[in-house]
Amino acid sequence: MTKPRQARIYQGTPRTLARLARRLQQGDVVAVPTETVYGLAGNALDAGACAKIFAAKGRPADDPLIVHIHSLAQLPALCRANPAALTLARKFWPGPLTLVLPKTDAVPALVTAGRDSVAIRMPRHPLFRRLLKATGLPLAAPSANPFGYISPTTAEHVQASLGRRIRYILDGGPARHGLESTIVDLRDPRRPAILRPGVITAEAVAHALGRRRLPTAPATSTRAQPGPQVAPGLLARHYSPRTPVVLHDRIRLPRAEADTPGVAWVFQQRPKGRVGANVHWLDPRGRLPGVARRLFALLRRLDALGLDCIHVERARGGGLADAINDRLRRAAAR
Ligand code: TXA
Ligand code: MG
């Protein structure tokens, strides 16, 4: 499947959008910007196009894809929505929220990994929305990274890790949120559950549904676990750099250690006092949106240095910190 040519990065002019839309209609795959992370998109109704997505990512066939839409009018063809789903869609779409709902026969089994449910999201990124509209199609798109590796938050990240396996990358600038969407299981509207924490917090989803709280599915350590409230493919180890990652509640760094070769220290905020070459921080003031936005880019950059170890401090607080810590836990899992 490896293509010899390097993928090209396209700017989102009307001409390139029309061209990439034609490629998608013809069954090609295109890497696209979203407000969460970059995705690798293909026609969700074309099993052949979706097979190319799995092949390019090296993704196991038991890990289902998210289907992206630009209009609520596309829903009935794809899924059986319920009032709870429509409530969340009206409140949070377009945005970083994915709903798992009973699927229709139009959605190929490959997309849903044989499940009778489908994951659907209406993204907010303006270029991706224009592309969706231009194709007139629902587009299946997982994160545009090789399976198990860190999700890409820039077009350059996509080129660096999938550049020899795909041909088209649409550049929409650095992703605004930097973490994958919140996934909510709404197959049974009486038992909603968070399958993956994200920028839209569990509290916000519960509140919108008029509930005090929502259960969060436990991270699965094995794939294809048949339990009802489990997101397949969410391996305990995921989003992982090749370099070992060690998590800390709080890093207290003795002077001498700040310069240990082969080791990086990643703080949530700029640490006071001496700063060594191996000392990094995710946001100057430790603000969570900034931490989320820069996390994957920093892990990629450090991973490229061939270090022995990356030490990272956990985010503090709830809400967005839960989503950040979820990704950190998976990056650190061995
Ligand atoms: O922000 C995002 O969600 C990004 C952008 C590109 O939209 N996409 C993304 O896709 O993160 P991906 O493939 O990396 O993660 C999708 C996850 C799957 O691993 C699986 O856990 C869950 O969504 N999922 C998909 N379909 C499902 C289904 N029918 N039931 C339960 N979980 C499902
Ligand atoms: Mg992914």
Side-chain angles (χ1 to χ4, degrees):
M1 265 315 289
T2 307
K3 298 219 170 72
R5 260 190 292 166
Q6 182 78 355
R8 207 176 128 189
I9 296 181
Y10 293 83
Q11 301 305 313
T13 63
R15 223 176 116 233
T16 57
L17 285 174
R19 177 165 175 208
L20 295 177
R22 272 199 307 278
R23 293 285 173 265
L24 286 163
Q25 288 163 339
Q26 290 161 356
D28 271 324
V29 298
V30 175
V32 295
T34 93
E35 71 277 23
T36 57
V37 299
Y38 275 67
L40 182 59
N43 179 358
L45 305 178
D46 175 353
C50 295
K52 291 182 191 170
I53 296 174
F54 281 92
K57 276 185 64 93
R59 181 173 175 120
D62 57 8
D63 189 357
L65 307 178
I66 295 175
V67 176
H68 298 73
I69 58 173
H70 71 273
S71 157
L72 286 181
Q74 291 173 287
L75 275 183
L78 301 167
C79 66
R80 284 195 318 264
N82 46 54
L86 293 177
T87 298
L88 294 185
R90 291 204 186 92
K91 180 150 176 83
F92 297 112
W93 281 356
L97 179 75
T98 297
L99 302 176
V100 174
L101 292 163
K103 83 180 212 42
T104 64
D105 291 340
V107 183
L110 187 62
V111 171
T112 64
R115 303 200 144 214
D116 50 16
S117 59
V118 60
I120 303 197
R121 168 160 113 83
M122 188 190 290
R124 181 176 280 274
H125 195 292
L127 280 188
F128 189 19
R129 289 180 63 76
R130 275 158 65 194
L131 189 63
L132 279 160
K133 220 166 170 175
T135 61
L137 295 168
L139 296 178
S143 50
N145 50 284
F147 179 71
Y149 196 60
I150 308 162
S151 294
T153 56
T154 66
E156 289 73 24
H157 291 165
V158 180
Q159 190 167 50
S161 50
L162 287 184
R164 297 195 172 278
R165 303 192 189 187
I166 62 173
R167 290 179 62 187
Y168 312 104
I169 302 171
L170 176 60
D171 189 353
R176 173 170 158 205
H177 297 306
L179 294 182
E180 303 81 355
S181 61
T182 307
I183 305 181
V184 182
D185 182 1
L186 272 177
R187 289 170 304 164
D188 178 353
R190 291 164 305 177
R191 291 191 306 150
I194 303 284
L195 301 184
R196 180 173 69 185
V199 171
I200 295 177
T201 62
E203 292 73 27
V205 174
H207 184 76
L209 293 177
R211 288 172 179 261
R212 293 253 299 281
R213 55 190 308 149
L214 287 193
T216 298
T220 54
S221 54
T222 53
R223 235 181 286 131
Q225 214 167 308
Q229 306 281 6
V230 155
L234 283 189
L235 304 175
R237 175 168 169 75
H238 209 146
Y239 314 107
S240 299
R242 284 173 283 269
T243 316
V245 172
V246 176
L247 280 189
H248 303 265
D249 282 332
R250 200 72 201 260
I251 298 178
R252 283 188 197 78
L253 196 55
R255 272 171 171 262
E257 275 182 40
D259 293 322
T260 313
V263 178
W265 305 92
V266 179
F267 291 82
Q268 291 287 314
Q269 65 181 74
R270 191 189 172 113
K272 292 196 187 81
R274 180 156 172 264
V275 163
N278 305 337
V279 175
H280 307 266
W281 53 90
L282 286 158
D283 184 82
R285 293 205 253 170
R287 294 214 174 120
L288 294 174
V291 169
R293 191 159 56 236
R294 296 186 194 96
L295 175 63
F296 288 160
L298 181 60
L299 288 180
R300 271 182 185 257
R301 190 151 66 76
L302 296 177
D303 200 27
L305 301 178
L307 302 169
D308 300 325
C309 187
I310 304 172
H311 294 274
V312 188
E313 207 175 54
R314 272 194 196 87
R316 284 181 282 276
L320 186 48
D322 288 341
I324 293 165
N325 290 334
D326 169 76
R327 305 312 189 271
L328 285 176
R329 260 195 312 278
R330 294 177 202 279
R334 283 277 108 186

